[in-house]
C-alpha cells in the first residue's frame, strides 16, 4: 500500500522557556526521518531571533540538519496553518497542555484549533525534552475504519525510524455489539462467548492488515493486539496511559464541528486529556 513519508517537518516556534526542548525534539525527528525542518515563528524577523534559533540548533550541524526559518506576523492559528500548506509540511509539531479546563475545551487552545483544521499530520508534545528519551512503546488505534489500514502501516513506519521496540494495536469495540442483557449466570456465559468471538474477528482483521505491511517495518518488533470493549477515544487513551506508552497514534477525524466538541467522541477525548505524546495521521 502507498505510504506517505515525512519529507518536511514543521514546528511552531515561540521564544518561551520550552524553546530549546521543542527545537531539540523537532530536530531529532527531522534527522530520524531525513526530513527538512521548517521553523514557523508568528512575528517579525530579527537578527537576534535568528541568532537564538541558530545557536539552539548548532549541535545538530554534525547530523547535517536541513532547516529553514519562516517569520510571519498575524493570527497564530492562521499563520501556522497557511505556512504548513505553503511549505507542503507533512508533519506539524505542536506543544500542548496535557489537561484543559472546561472553558478552554470549548473555546480551544491554539494547539487544539490547529489540530482540528490542519491538512497534514500533527504531533502533540506534552513533555518535550532537550535530552533524547527513547520511544520504546507505541500504541496505535486498530478500530474498524477506512483510514485504519493506512494508520497502522504508518505506525510501523514511524516505529522503524524512531527505533521503537513494541507496537500495541488497540481495537476499540462498542459494548453494544454484544446485544445480550446480563442478568444471570447463563446470560453472562453467553455474553462472554460473544465477546471472545468478536475479539477473534477483530484480531483476524488486524492480522490481515499486518500481513500487507513491508517486512522491513515489522521485523524485530514486538506486536501485541489488544481488543477493548468501551467508548471509542476514551478507551485507547486510558490504555495508552496505564501501559505507559511513549506515543499514541490515531486516525485523523473525518469531521470536527461544533457539535462534535459539545458532545465529544473519538479523538476529542484524546485532545481533552492527552495521555502521552499523540500523533494524529492524515
Amino acid at each position: 500500500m502507498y505510504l506517505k513519508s515525512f519529507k518536511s517537518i514543521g514546528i511552531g516556534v515561540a521564544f518561551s522557556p520550552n524553546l530549546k526542548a521543542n527545537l531539540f525534539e523537532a530536530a531529532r525527528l527531522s534527522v530520524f526521518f531525513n526530513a527538512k525542518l521548517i521553523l514557523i515563528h508568528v512575528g517579525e524577523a530579527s537578527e537576534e531571533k535568528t541568532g537564538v534559533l541558530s545557536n539552539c540548533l548548532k549541535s545538530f550541524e554534525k547530523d547535517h540538519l536541513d532547516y529553514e526559518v519562516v517569520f510571519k506576523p498575524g493570527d497564530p492559528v492562521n499563520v501556522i496553518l497557511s505556512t504548513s500548506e505553503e511549505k507542503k509540511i507533512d508533519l506539524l509539531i505542536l506543544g500542548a497542555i496535557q489537561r484543559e479546563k472546561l472553558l478552554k475545551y470549548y473555546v480551544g487552545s491554539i494547539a487544539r484549533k490547529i489540530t482540528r483544521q490542519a491538512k497534514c499530520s500533527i504531533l502533540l508534545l506534552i513533555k518535550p525534552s532537550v535530552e533524547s528519551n527513547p520511544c520504546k512503546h507505541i500504541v496505535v488505534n486498530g478500530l474498524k475504519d477506512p483510514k485504519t489500514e493506512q494508520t497502522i502501516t504508518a505506525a510501523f513506519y514511524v516505529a522503524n525510524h524512531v527505533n521503537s521496540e513494541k507496537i500495541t494495536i488497540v481495537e476499540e469495540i462498542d459494548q453494544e455489539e454484544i446485544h445480550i442483557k446480563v442478568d444471570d449466570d447463563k446470560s453472562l456465559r453467553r455474553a462472554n462467548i460473544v465477546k471472545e468471538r468478536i475479539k477473534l474477528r477483530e484480531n483476524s482483521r488486524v492480522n490481515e492488515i499486518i500481513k500487507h505491511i513491508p517486512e522491513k517495518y515489522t521485523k524485530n518488533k514486538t506486536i501485541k493486539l489488544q481488543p477493548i470493549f468501551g467508548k471509542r477515544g476514551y478507551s485507547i487513551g486510558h490504555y495508552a496511559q496505564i501501559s505507559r506508552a511513549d506515543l499514541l497514534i490515531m486516525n485523523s477525524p473525518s469531521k470536527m464541528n461544533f457539535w462534535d466538541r459539545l458532545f465529544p467522541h473519538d479523538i476529542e477525548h484524546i485532545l481533552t486529556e492527552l495521555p502521552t505524546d499523540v500523533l494524529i495521521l492524515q
Side-chain angles (χ1 to χ4, degrees), residues 48 115 142 173 257:
E48 182 185 1
T115 300
I173 306 164
N257 57 35

Side-chain angles (χ1 to χ4, degrees), residues 91-145:
L91 174 64
L92 181 63
I93 300 172
L94 299 169
I97 301 168
Q98 191 164 5
R99 183 186 295 225
E100 288 190 321
K101 293 177 182 177
L102 187 63
L103 177 62
K104 262 196 170 181
Y105 173 63
Y106 289 120
V107 174
S109 66
I110 290 173
R112 279 12 175 235
K113 286 179 181 178
I114 292 170
T115 300
R116 292 170 183 137
Q117 298 178 53
K119 295 178 181 177
C120 62
S121 297
I122 296 283
L123 174 60
L124 294 165
L125 293 177
I126 61 171
K127 292 178 183 176
S129 173
V130 172
E131 300 299 321
S132 179
N133 295 316
C135 181
K136 295 180 180 179
H137 182 200
I138 292 175
V139 170
V140 57
N141 72 256
L143 56 86
K144 191 173 182 180
D145 184 272

Side-chain angles (χ1 to χ4, degrees), residues 1 32 81 84 86 139 163 224 231 259 270:
M1 105 175 309
F32 282 148
L81 287 173
S84 297
E86 289 164 14
V139 170
N163 299 316
K224 179 182 178 182
K231 184 173 285 189
W259 292 109
I270 304 296

Side-chain angles (χ1 to χ4, degrees), residues 39-276:
L39 309 178
I40 307 167
H41 175 64
V42 182
E44 300 289 349
S46 74
E47 287 187 17
E48 182 185 1
K49 291 176 182 176
T50 303
V52 170
L53 296 175
S54 178
N55 285 332
C56 277
L57 294 173
K58 196 172 285 289
S59 61
F60 291 92
E61 286 180 358
K62 65 182 186 304
D63 301 306
H64 308 291
L65 176 67
D66 180 16
Y67 75 92
E68 174 187 351
V69 185
V70 176
F71 293 98
K72 188 187 288 189
D75 173 72
V77 174
N78 292 337
V79 167
I80 292 173
L81 287 173
S82 63
T83 304
S84 297
E85 289 196 48
E86 289 164 14
K87 295 294 181 179
K88 294 181 170 57
I89 287 171
D90 300 308
L91 174 64
L92 181 63
I93 300 172
L94 299 169
I97 301 168
Q98 191 164 5
R99 183 186 295 225
E100 288 190 321
K101 293 177 182 177
L102 187 63
L103 177 62
K104 262 196 170 181
Y105 173 63
Y106 289 120
V107 174
S109 66
I110 290 173
R112 279 12 175 235
K113 286 179 181 178
I114 292 170
T115 300
R116 292 170 183 137
Q117 298 178 53
K119 295 178 181 177
C120 62
S121 297
I122 296 283
L123 174 60
L124 294 165
L125 293 177
I126 61 171
K127 292 178 183 176
S129 173
V130 172
E131 300 299 321
S132 179
N133 295 316
C135 181
K136 295 180 180 179
H137 182 200
I138 292 175
V139 170
V140 57
N141 72 256
L143 56 86
K144 191 173 182 180
D145 184 272
K147 294 181 179 180
T148 294
E149 183 175 359
Q150 183 80 16
T151 300
I152 292 174
T153 305
F156 279 91
Y157 160 76
V158 170
N160 191 60
H161 280 78
V162 301
N163 299 316
S164 188
E165 303 162 355
K166 180 181 178 181
I167 294 181
T168 300
I169 302 169
V170 173
E171 306 138 340
E172 292 179 291
I173 306 164
D174 196 323
Q175 195 73 30
E176 292 180 4
E177 281 204 48
I178 300 172
H179 301 304
I180 295 172
K181 183 181 178 182
V182 176
D183 48 20
D184 56 24
D185 288 347
K186 187 177 179 180
S187 59
L188 178 60
R189 284 194 297 273
R190 285 173 55 211
N192 286 334
I193 290 169
V194 171
K195 273 189 174 184
E196 288 306 311
R197 286 175 179 168
I198 293 172
K199 286 180 181 179
L200 288 172
R201 181 197 72 195
E202 292 301 294
N203 285 349
S204 175
R205 175 180 58 80
V206 172
N207 276 321
E208 192 62 30
I209 293 172
I210 295 171
K211 274 168 52 178
H212 293 92
I213 297 172
E215 188 183 351
K216 66 177 180 178
Y217 294 139
T218 59
K219 190 177 180 182
N220 298 325
K221 295 284 185 289
T222 300
I223 304 169
K224 179 182 178 182
L225 306 187
Q226 182 67 56
I228 294 178
F229 289 85
K231 184 173 285 189
R232 283 174 54 172
Y234 175 79
S235 300
I236 192 171
H238 181 66
Y239 179 83
Q241 193 169 40
I242 63 170
S243 65
R244 299 182 182 275
D246 301 297
L247 179 65
L248 171 60
I249 300 180
M250 301 284 293
N251 296 346
S252 61
S254 298
K255 63 175 183 175
M256 193 71 73
N257 57 35
F258 175 76
W259 292 109
D260 292 327
R261 294 195 290 275
L262 203 58
F263 302 102
H265 62 86
D266 296 7
I267 210 161
E268 283 294 327
H269 289 292
I270 304 296
L271 295 181
T272 308
E273 189 169 351
L274 298 171
T276 183

